[in-house]
Amino acid sequence: MISEIIKNRRAVFPAQYNNQPISKEEVLAILESANWAPTHKRTEPWRFKVFHGLSQIGLGKFLAETYKNTSEKFSENTYNKFIENPVKAKCVIVICFQRDPKESLPEWEEIASTAMAVQNMWLAASEMKIGGYWSSPGIIKYMDKFVQMEEGERCLGFFYLGKYDGELPEGTRKTSIEEKTVWM
Ligand SMILES: Cc1cc2nc3c(=O)[nH]c(=O)nc-3n(C[C@H](O)[C@H](O)[C@H](O)COP(=O)(O)O)c2cc1C
């Protein structure tokens, strides 16, 4: 049932990943789900850069050095996490979106569509027993120094992927849907 898959999806973090590899076919299946997100005017704004294999090491080094060079309050622990997490993951998908200059949709609509694409990936991964989470550190604004971005393209974060052992904890929500809904 889709409602069960939705409720059972969890943010699964690098500390929880085991060392099992994720195949290219599995990554492709997850990406394919992204491509079926809805979009206003069919702009399909999501763009992805996939770090799968040795390239993950370079990504970690870039993130750590960028953090070191730009942070106002440096922490050795955070620096080490930026190096380690992209390698603990068995794939890191850089989440980007590109505005369509012809359609001139508001930016929020393109970001909303891209977030829906990420949710599709997250649900697909969850059903495949692959853990994932969306990481959005402040340094994503420097990603154009590391990967080529097209005109109007911007990074929204990283989707870390890794397999895990055992069961995931049950999710929690602070308030019920009734408390967030007004029936008119
Ligand atoms: C847009 C977005 C950005 C996020 N960025 C971070 C992040 O930078 N660090 C983090 O620990 N979790 C991040 N998360 C994951 C949330 O912490 C997680 O989804 C939330 O705690 C709810 O848990 P659940 O996904 O297991 O239901 C992000 C989630 C979203 C949707």
Side-chain angles (χ1 to χ4, degrees):
M1 282 277 284
I2 185 77
S3 58
E4 288 303 303
I5 297 169
I6 289 169
K7 278 189 187 166
N8 291 334
R9 178 211 55 77
R10 288 280 71 74
V12 187
F13 301 100
Q16 296 167 266
Y17 302 159
N18 64 24
N19 214 16
Q20 270 187 48
I22 297 176
S23 69
K24 185 166 184 184
E25 287 67 33
E26 287 172 315
V27 178
L28 283 169
I30 290 167
L31 286 167
E32 179 65 20
S33 297
N35 211 26
W36 290 94
T39 42
H40 192 182
K41 299 209 173 166
R42 297 185 177 265
T43 55
E44 301 175 23
W46 45 83
R47 301 287 183 272
F48 302 112
K49 327 284 176 200
V50 181
F51 289 79
H52 186 227
L54 286 179
S55 60
Q56 294 173 223
I57 301 171
L59 174 65
K61 283 186 185 153
F62 170 78
L63 295 180
E65 289 311 311
T66 303
Y67 166 70
K68 195 180 200 171
N69 295 333
T70 60
S71 75
E72 280 162 21
K73 256 177 45 191
F74 179 80
S75 137
E76 194 77 34
N77 190 36
T78 307
Y79 176 85
N80 289 336
K81 283 229 165 83
F82 275 125
I83 291 190
E84 289 160 13
N85 283 347
V87 182
K88 266 192 200 153
K90 288 293 165 256
C91 182
V92 183
I93 299 175
V94 179
I95 305 160
C96 306
F97 78 101
Q98 187 179 13
R99 292 188 79 182
D100 185 325
K102 287 191 301 293
E103 299 293 1
S104 65
L105 286 179
E107 184 182 58
W108 78 263
E109 293 200 67
E110 305 293 38
I111 295 175
S113 283
T114 304
M116 295 177 97
V118 175
Q119 172 76 339
N120 280 2
M121 291 203 288
W122 211 331
L123 293 174
S126 177
E127 197 193 24
M128 293 159 74
K129 293 255 172 272
I130 295 174
Y133 102 104
W134 184 339
S135 163
S136 52
I139 54 172
I140 55 178
K141 59 174 172 282
Y142 303 111
M143 278 306 285
D144 63 339
K145 310 272 179 280
F146 188 59
V147 287
Q148 195 189 323
M149 299 269 184
E150 302 302 324
E151 205 189 329
E153 190 175 358
R154 185 148 72 81
C155 175
L156 296 175
F158 310 114
F159 194 53
Y160 284 88
L161 288 166
K163 295 186 180 171
Y164 55 89
D165 299 314
E167 295 298 314
L168 295 174
E170 227 175 78
T172 55
R173 289 296 177 261
K174 279 189 270 181
T175 55
S176 69
I177 190 61
E178 282 81 9
E179 288 172 75
K180 295 162 181 135
T181 308
V182 178
W183 292 77
M184 309 305 278

